[in-house]
Amino acid sequence: MLLAVKVWALGHLLATGMLRDVVLFGALLAWAIALFAVLRRRDRLTGTTYPAGTLRGDVTTVLIGVVVWAIFAFWLHQALIGVNPMA
């Protein structure tokens, strides 16, 4: 999830250059980077390990993500945010 926030914030930083956008998306990018580092350090200290993912789970996640992204990008972004990313 943090990787998605990083990609999302970086994409918005590259696409826009207004000060308000740099402040908002830059702060979210910095937060995601810092939180990732903190969580990795915590897991190493406590010895936490996570089970490996499955190919089926990865494919399902990617397909659902692409569908939700397309719905938001092509139809909901204009209505909810007020900016048409396709223009």
Side-chain angles (χ1 to χ4, degrees):
M1 192 174 349
L2 289 174
L3 177 60
V5 171
K6 290 180 205 178
V7 170
W8 170 76
L10 183 62
H12 279 81
L13 282 173
L14 293 174
T16 59
M18 299 182 74
L19 178 61
R20 66 178 183 247
D21 299 322
V22 172
V23 170
L24 174 65
F25 297 115
L28 289 168
L29 180 60
W31 167 81
I33 290 169
L35 185 59
F36 180 78
V38 167
L39 293 176
R40 291 278 294 193
R41 188 172 300 117
R42 182 198 64 188
D43 288 346
R44 284 188 189 134
L45 288 174
T46 60
T48 303
T49 58
Y50 297 96
T54 63
L55 181 60
R56 180 178 183 214
D58 290 346
V59 170
T60 302
T61 300
V62 169
L63 288 176
I64 291 171
V66 167
V67 169
V68 171
W69 167 82
I71 290 169
F72 185 77
F74 292 112
W75 294 286
L76 294 177
H77 199 279
Q78 174 68 35
L80 297 175
I81 309 299
V83 176
N84 184 0
M86 301 305 150

